[in-house]
Amino acid sequence: MEKKNKYEAYPAGRTPNSRKRFEKHEKPKDFKTTMMKIYEYFRVEKKLLFLIFAFTIIDSLIVVTIPYIIGTSVDVIAKSVDSIEFSKLIVMTSMLAGAYIADGTISLINSWLMAGISQRIVKTMRTDLFKKLQSLPISFFDTHSNGDIMSRLSNDIDNISSVIAQSTVQLFIGTLIAMILLNITLTIVSLITVPLVFMLTKVIAKKTKVLFKDQQTYLGKLNGQIEESISGIEVVKAFNHEESLIEEFYNINEKLRKVGIKAQIWSGFLMPIMNVINNVGFVAIAWTGGILAVKGIINVGMITSFISYSKQFTRPLNDLGNIFNNLQSGVAGAERVFDILAESEEVEDVENASALSDVQGEVIFDNVSFGYTKEKLILKNVSFRVEAGESIALVGPTGAGKTTIVNMVTRFYDVNAGTIYIDGSDIRNYKRDSLRKVFGIVLQDTYLFSGTIKENIRYGNPMAKDEEIIKASKMANAHSFIKRLPKGYDTVLEESGGNLSQGQKQLLTIARAILAKPSILILDEATSSVDTRTELKIQEAMLNVMEGHTTFIIAHRLSTIRDADRIMFIDDGMIVEEGNHEDLMKKKGRYFEMYNSQMKKENTL
């Protein structure tokens, strides 16, 4: 089936097509590869990260002293209740208060710095992703729904942001050294929980990684379904598909709910089980410490210190486990983002490519073949020549290859075989941006941006003055209806121009094309969705813009292309008939049959 464009192709922009031509295939990614890519973004912040690391070391040294101070204070009290050394106890508690204040202050500074780093990294990542989308070929947008792309740009990157912001933990090396220096036996007892923590983290992380990735995938599908149903709500209501749409939404939403529950349950297992493991460790320390204290090997204060040290030692492990668990959600989002960042961009310009200027408008197709998939060719050895200033109409059944010819000459897709020439040179030898500035395209499916009418018309030429905009609008037969609007050219359009009729939107796109001053025009079904009266206005506007320009006209209404210099009947990717209207009618071939069929149908209406 022939590709149906959804984009507006003016010199500086296009709108992605949400239709799918190919099946989407997920590329397998691994945790390590994704983390290395995230690390590349962290490298830019290495100075601040070094500062955070320095603060973390200082904080760790301060925190290491806290259990020792607590143990010493306990020993001061335990020596003799009747003769407590209050002066020493005051010193100890003052040191303890100072250590807690310093710990809190440094933690606050680290959190503030890390929040800034995370937002800058995510801003860069989001910008990189958006830039990437602008450089991807049209084929990419044929394989991904708009909703899924938007989900990656928003939800997935937000997940990455939340994970980066909490990705700092205390160093526990100092705590381990302090424990060893105090008592090796209690240190060994404290470490028995470490293997259990790592085993638990590994098992749960393996499960949650898959679940969080599935959750992000279903979220993307849900967003895609919402975007498509809202943008096509008129079609949905016209065909009474509300119930089936609700059912489809329910099914996707139900799958998202199920996988979301599993992901949250599995991730929720981590902390409660870790608390149990930690409490087992505390019991082991208290039991072993009690035996050693009874035997006079250690003081009671050391048991207190070791329980505190054990908390300090296991807290970073718990934090790491919790962060690693949450990281699965962030990595799942990051993988989807990096999938797009790894996509192949449009083929770069050849070395020494020249800018296309002073265009005459001669176009030659020389044995051009092309297929959207390798298995099926849409165009098969197509050859023709269009003289500068000549108007060519492409007609034929749906899926014959008419719009594909347009996609070839604009280089939205590159040929599989053969060559296309403009003014005698292979279009692949021109810089792509200069090539596309040559074209102005008016499509059946109009697209208007949020903003004023003036801004939408100026999109064809950002440097155009107001006088040029008005002149282009008059040529497009749009000026009169624009002036009748409440604010004229400053009228703000609703989404996709919802406050205008289809014919009015089409006239604005023609004005936009005129303002771009293109050398080659492409009119793709520009009048097929309007009434006869509006069609006459649009045809008059098109004649104004076509004058002196090489023009490709794609039309199913054959009455609109009778005056074309040449008509080419396309079928099954080949030119089967060629000539002007009179010549083709005399041949009584495919064009003759289609034309008479349409006339007969219109006369019976």
Side-chain angles (χ1 to χ4, degrees):
M1 186 173 179
E2 184 182 352
K3 179 177 173 63
K4 186 66 179 176
N5 291 288
K6 287 274 187 179
Y7 49 80
E8 288 282 10
Y10 292 97
R14 60 175 181 264
T15 301
N17 176 6
S18 63
R19 290 193 180 186
K20 298 184 180 77
R21 183 173 296 278
F22 315 102
E23 289 296 324
K24 178 182 175 183
H25 298 283
E26 291 285 343
K27 295 182 179 180
K29 299 288 183 180
D30 58 69
F31 182 89
K32 182 179 178 181
T33 301
T34 305
M35 289 304 298
M36 289 301 294
K37 290 178 180 178
I38 294 176
Y39 168 72
E40 291 299 316
Y41 284 90
F42 272 97
R43 289 180 62 182
V44 181
E45 302 285 348
K46 58 185 178 182
K47 290 183 179 179
L48 277 180
L49 287 172
F50 178 79
L51 182 61
I52 290 174
F53 182 72
F55 276 134
T56 301
I57 291 176
I58 294 171
D59 188 38
S60 297
L61 294 176
I62 293 172
V63 170
V64 163
T65 64
I66 291 176
Y68 180 78
I69 295 172
I70 293 174
T72 303
S73 301
V74 170
D75 282 340
V76 169
I77 297 172
K79 281 182 180 179
S80 176
V81 177
D82 296 329
S83 58
I84 297 176
E85 299 180 42
F86 284 103
S87 59
K88 189 173 182 180
L89 188 60
I90 291 172
V91 171
M92 289 289 140
T93 53
S94 299
M95 290 174 61
L96 187 62
Y100 278 127
I101 292 171
D103 174 38
T105 303
I106 292 176
S107 296
L108 181 64
I109 293 172
N110 271 358
S111 298
W112 179 71
L113 292 174
M114 200 63 202
I117 289 173
S118 69
Q119 290 306 311
R120 283 191 296 274
I121 288 174
V122 169
K123 175 189 173 184
T124 302
M125 193 176 292
R126 187 178 286 116
T127 301
D128 287 348
L129 181 57
F130 190 78
K131 285 182 178 179
K132 182 73 175 185
L133 290 173
Q134 309 313 308
S135 64
L136 291 174
I138 293 296
S139 58
F140 172 82
F141 299 100
D142 289 338
T143 62
H144 297 76
S145 72
N146 292 345
D148 182 62
I149 294 172
M150 289 188 290
S151 179
R152 299 186 194 216
L153 196 57
S154 55
N155 297 332
D156 292 337
I157 287 186
D158 285 342
N159 274 345
I160 299 170
S161 171
S162 62
V163 170
I164 292 175
Q166 60 174 355
S167 295
T168 55
V169 294
Q170 281 191 333
L171 297 177
F172 51 80
I173 301 299
T175 300
L176 180 61
I177 292 173
M179 291 167 68
I180 293 172
L181 292 175
L182 282 176
N183 189 278
I184 191 67
T185 302
L186 289 179
T187 301
I188 294 172
V189 172
S190 300
L191 293 178
I192 62 174
T193 61
V194 174
L196 296 176
V197 170
F198 278 112
M199 287 174 60
L200 175 67
T201 302
K202 184 177 180 180
V203 171
I204 293 181
K206 184 178 180 181
K207 186 68 177 178
T208 55
K209 177 183 177 181
V210 176
L211 292 172
F212 277 123
K213 186 169 184 178
D214 289 344
Q215 186 179 29
Q216 294 303 114
T217 300
Y218 282 121
L219 185 59
K221 289 181 179 179
L222 192 69
N223 286 337
Q225 201 258 7
I226 293 170
E227 191 273 336
E228 289 180 0
S229 62
I230 291 175
S231 61
I233 191 65
E234 292 179 357
V235 177
V236 173
K237 289 184 177 295
F239 286 93
N240 295 315
H241 275 293
E242 293 93 338
E243 292 300 323
S244 62
L245 201 64
I246 292 172
E247 184 179 354
E248 182 183 350
F249 179 87
Y250 176 83
N251 290 334
I252 299 175
N253 202 23
E254 180 65 12
K255 290 178 181 177
L256 179 60
R257 181 190 69 83
K258 288 179 179 179
V259 75
I261 289 175
K262 290 179 181 179
Q264 293 304 318
I265 288 176
W266 274 94
S267 63
F269 281 157
L270 189 63
M271 292 311 297
I273 298 177
M274 276 193 170
N275 287 334
V276 172
I277 294 174
N278 293 338
N279 290 333
V280 169
F282 298 153
V283 170
I285 292 171
W287 184 74
T288 306
I291 294 175
L292 294 176
V294 169
K295 292 182 177 181
I297 300 175
I298 62 173
N299 297 326
V300 176
M302 186 175 289
I303 300 174
T304 306
S305 295
F306 253 91
I307 291 176
S308 296
Y309 275 128
S310 180
K311 288 182 179 179
Q312 279 189 10
F313 187 77
T314 55
R315 188 178 73 179
L317 295 180
N318 292 347
D319 289 345
L320 279 172
N322 192 36
I323 289 173
F324 192 71
N325 186 40
N326 291 337
L327 199 60
Q328 304 309 309
S329 176
V331 169
E335 284 182 348
R336 285 162 48 82
V337 170
F338 290 133
D339 278 347
I340 294 182
L341 292 176
E343 287 282 344
S344 299
E345 298 182 3
E346 286 189 308
V347 179
E348 292 185 4
D349 295 328
V350 297
E351 190 175 355
N352 300 321
S354 60
L356 181 55
S357 59
D358 300 323
V359 180
Q360 301 302 309
E362 180 193 61
V363 178
I364 298 174
F365 272 57
D366 184 13
N367 288 317
V368 171
S369 295
F370 173 77
Y372 293 103
T373 62
K374 295 179 180 179
E375 294 77 20
K376 184 179 180 180
L377 288 179
I378 302 298
L379 298 182
K380 304 168 185 177
N381 299 316
V382 173
S383 295
F384 62 86
R385 180 191 187 100
V386 182
E387 300 293 343
E390 188 178 11
S391 59
I392 300 294
L394 305 175
V395 300
T398 300
K402 302 183 298 295
T403 301
T404 302
I405 290 176
V406 169
N407 287 336
M408 296 292 98
V409 75
T410 54
R411 282 199 74 191
F412 289 135
Y413 291 88
D414 278 326
V415 299
N416 292 358
T419 309
I420 301 173
Y421 301 91
I422 290 182
D423 290 351
S425 293
D426 187 337
I427 61 173
R428 289 169 292 192
N429 293 329
Y430 293 125
K431 293 180 179 178
R432 185 180 282 104
D433 61 344
S434 70
L435 172 69
R436 290 179 180 165
K437 286 179 181 178
V438 167
F439 296 95
I441 299 184
V442 180
L443 302 174
Q444 172 187 356
D445 298 316
T446 58
Y447 189 88
L448 298 174
F449 299 94
S450 298
T452 65
I453 286 178
K454 184 187 297 182
E455 290 169 342
N456 270 276
I457 297 175
R458 185 177 273 133
Y459 197 79
N461 182 1
M463 304 305 294
K465 298 178 181 178
D466 289 354
E467 296 78 15
E468 294 176 284
I469 294 173
I470 294 173
K471 182 180 178 181
S473 300
K474 288 179 177 178
M475 290 181 65
N477 284 338
H479 180 71
S480 58
F481 90 77
I482 294 174
K483 295 301 290 182
R484 290 195 299 269
L485 295 173
K487 295 185 179 180
Y489 284 87
D490 293 319
T491 300
V492 177
L493 298 179
E494 296 176 5
E495 184 178 359
S496 298
N499 48 341
L500 298 179
S501 70
Q502 182 64 33
Q504 289 172 332
K505 290 191 286 186
Q506 195 65 280
L507 292 175
L508 289 184
T509 63
I510 294 173
R512 184 161 60 185
I514 293 172
L515 191 65
K517 299 177 181 179
S519 300
I520 301 174
L521 278 169
I522 296 172
L523 308 174
D524 189 352
E525 299 287 355
T527 64
S528 62
S529 58
V530 297
D531 60 84
T532 305
R533 186 163 176 255
T534 305
E535 180 182 12
L536 292 175
K537 279 190 172 184
I538 293 175
Q539 280 185 309
E540 183 182 345
M542 290 194 304
L543 288 174
N544 290 334
V545 73
M546 285 168 56
E547 188 175 350
H549 296 89
T550 302
T551 308
F552 289 86
I553 309 168
I554 300 173
H556 281 105
R557 287 189 191 178
L558 302 186
S559 59
T560 63
I561 49 92
R562 290 182 56 173
D563 297 326
D565 295 328
R566 188 154 37 113
I567 299 169
M568 294 191 297
F569 194 99
I570 313 295
D571 191 17
D572 194 26
M574 296 180 287
I575 301 172
V576 297
E577 287 183 353
E578 186 175 358
N580 59 34
H581 175 73
E582 289 75 16
D583 292 339
L584 292 176
M585 291 300 289
K586 289 176 183 177
K587 288 182 180 179
K588 295 186 177 181
R590 299 287 300 279
Y591 177 82
F592 174 84
E593 293 175 1
M594 180 177 281
Y595 185 84
N596 283 339
S597 175
Q598 284 192 10
M599 291 302 103
K600 183 178 180 180
K601 184 178 180 180
E602 289 181 10
N603 290 333
T604 58
L605 294 177

